[in-house]
Amino acid sequence: MTRVVCPGSFDPVTNGHLDIVRRASRLFDEVVVAVLVNESKKSLFSLEERMDLLARATSDLPNVSVDSFQGLLVDFCTEHDVSAIVKGLRAVSDFDYELQMAQMNGNLTDVDTVFIPTSPEYSFLASSLVKEVAKGGGDVSGLVPDFVLARLDEVFGR
Ligand code: PNS
């Protein structure tokens, strides 16, 4: 049985994240989507809401679960018997930092990192940009699930 983790801040989950999670769920037996608890980073959505939105967005995928973690990702992997970290790669610009993290994580434990190329229609997509555009009144429909769109509208008073 191969259990993998898709880690991130997911503030909020986008269709780009879901593309990677969905494809990982076809490749591996179990996928744990792990939301980073980062008290030093101000998030738009609480940890509970980020996890709830993710759970709703992945409810049709029986081998996907949602969890959270604090501290090092490699410790989460050891504690949860995770054999690989799955990351999406949007562009070459992602690669340097992702490679560095993959190598550091591999140096800390024997956990491997598997990169999945983001589908081209999502290669520009990032939670930070979704928030910026939604805040400015721009249209982010099609980039996030409808219930995330509704929450963004509420948060930004639209
Ligand atoms: O969605 P993000 O914010 O780009 O995700 C980044 C994340 C959570 C995958 C990364 O920051 C992470 O793994 N943080 C956990 C702390 C850790 O293990 N740091 C060492 C990385 S080599």
Side-chain angles (χ1 to χ4, degrees), residues 7-9 36 41 69 71-73 87 101 104-105:
S9 303
L36 175 67
K41 194 170 154 188
F69 73 105
L72 292 180
L73 178 59
K87 291 288 195 76
M101 281 199 288
M104 176 61 88
N105 285 329

Side-chain angles (χ1 to χ4, degrees), residues 7-147:
S9 303
F10 303 104
D11 186 37
V13 62
T14 69
N15 289 344
H17 293 129
L18 294 172
D19 169 51
I20 299 299
V21 171
R22 198 168 290 280
R23 287 159 63 204
S25 76
R26 294 200 294 257
L27 293 170
F28 303 102
D29 300 312
E30 257 188 56
V31 177
V32 183
V33 182
V35 184
L36 175 67
V37 181
N38 187 350
E39 266 134 29
S40 63
K41 194 170 154 188
K42 177 107 185 67
S43 60
L44 180 63
F45 294 103
S46 68
L47 173 69
E48 291 69 28
E49 188 161 18
R50 283 180 279 154
M51 291 178 71
D52 179 58
L53 294 171
L54 272 165
R56 289 175 69 182
T58 57
S59 61
D60 62 323
L61 302 171
N63 62 337
V64 174
S65 60
V66 179
D67 204 342
S68 63
F69 73 105
Q70 231 165 344
L72 292 180
L73 178 59
V74 289
D75 291 336
F76 179 89
C77 293
T78 305
E79 286 156 19
H80 294 80
D81 201 20
V82 164
S83 38
I85 299 164
V86 171
K87 291 288 195 76
L89 278 185
R90 288 170 295 199
V92 176
S93 50
D94 279 345
F95 184 72
D96 280 352
Y97 186 49
E98 290 297 344
L99 179 66
Q100 196 179 12
M101 281 199 288
Q103 290 174 333
M104 176 61 88
N105 285 329
N107 187 259
L108 291 169
T109 62
D110 60 359
V111 72
D112 233 317
T113 297
V114 175
F115 294 120
I116 296 182
T118 297
S119 296
E121 64 265 37
Y122 302 127
S123 61
F124 62 93
L125 191 48
S127 297
S128 54
L129 283 183
V130 164
K131 287 181 283 191
E132 193 175 317
V133 172
K135 188 176 180 184
D139 181 12
V140 292
S141 59
L143 303 181
V144 293
D146 287 347
F147 47 86

